[in-house]
Amino acid sequence: MPRWYMLLARCFGCAVIEDTWHYFLHRLLHHKRIYKHIHKIHHEFQAPFGMEAEYAHPLETLILGTGFFIGIMLLCDHVILLWAWVTIRLIETIDVHSGYDIPLNPLNLIPFYAGSRHHDFHHMNFIGNYASTFTWWDKLFGTDSQFTAYVEKMKKVEKKTE
């Protein structure tokens, strides 16, 4: 049985690997020559909900799903780690597709966690916010600039209504 801190570290490693894979391949799926054939199916819903997370073209499922398994192949040495990673990934996937930004969500305690607002904007805007779990790739490559501007605009609107 792995120690709790090793379990946590390896699950984090799996999340980083999956997020990196997802960011670059998801961004590629938004290329104008590819988007209409594969990824457009997932974007039929502009307001995501939990079950919609898995609504995708079979090729998209294979392409983006591969990132989930890379971490397992590199870091998994115990069935408990496999169960933990599957559980964490399912919870995170449903959370970002839930359509709700729950203030007391424990996932929001994770630094750089993208969350549902980040992903909802992606479905609303179709451009940017390509990461699945963390925001660092979007920040590094500037693919969250429209989202950042939108958040700032919403803060100003909230201040005016108070």
Side-chain angles (χ1 to χ4, degrees):
M1 179 81 172
R3 302 266 186 207
W4 70 268
Y5 53 86
M6 287 305 296
L7 190 67
L8 196 60
R10 288 183 182 206
C11 281
F12 179 72
C14 286
V16 169
I17 291 166
E18 187 283 330
D19 187 66
T20 302
W21 179 272
H22 188 97
Y23 175 83
F24 290 103
L25 275 292
H26 184 196
R27 190 171 174 181
L28 180 65
L29 287 174
H30 276 267
H31 187 277
K32 62 183 176 184
R33 290 188 179 172
I34 300 171
Y35 178 80
K36 63 185 173 189
H37 301 292
I38 298 174
H39 192 54
K40 185 177 182 179
I41 292 171
H42 182 71
H43 278 279
E44 285 181 21
F45 296 98
Q46 285 186 313
F49 55 95
M51 293 301 289
E52 182 264 338
E54 300 305 321
Y55 183 71
H57 190 283
L59 277 177
E60 178 177 349
T61 301
L62 286 171
I63 292 166
L64 296 181
T66 299
F68 172 83
F69 293 102
I70 293 171
I72 291 171
M73 292 186 300
L74 296 175
L75 302 175
C76 186
D77 61 355
H78 198 281
V79 72
I80 294 295
L81 175 64
L82 176 64
W83 290 346
W85 172 231
V86 168
T87 301
I88 289 168
R89 186 66 187 131
L90 285 173
I91 289 169
E92 187 275 333
T93 300
I94 292 168
D95 178 56
V96 300
H97 286 89
S98 70
Y100 296 102
D101 184 21
I102 302 166
L104 299 176
N105 184 347
L107 292 172
N108 290 334
L109 297 173
I110 300 169
F112 304 105
Y113 178 65
S116 63
R117 284 179 46 183
H118 187 265
H119 194 71
D120 284 355
F121 186 81
H122 174 76
H123 275 264
M124 183 177 80
N125 194 46
F126 302 118
I127 299 169
N129 292 13
Y130 300 114
S132 65
T133 306
F134 304 109
T135 58
W136 51 56
W137 291 116
D138 284 305
K139 287 187 188 310
L140 183 65
F141 290 105
T143 52
D144 68 343
S145 59
Q146 291 181 358
F147 175 67
T148 303
Y150 173 76
V151 169
E152 291 301 317
K153 182 180 175 183
M154 295 311 293
K155 285 180 184 176
K156 288 178 183 176
V157 169
E158 286 177 14
K159 278 187 178 181
K160 286 182 180 179
T161 58
E162 291 175 356

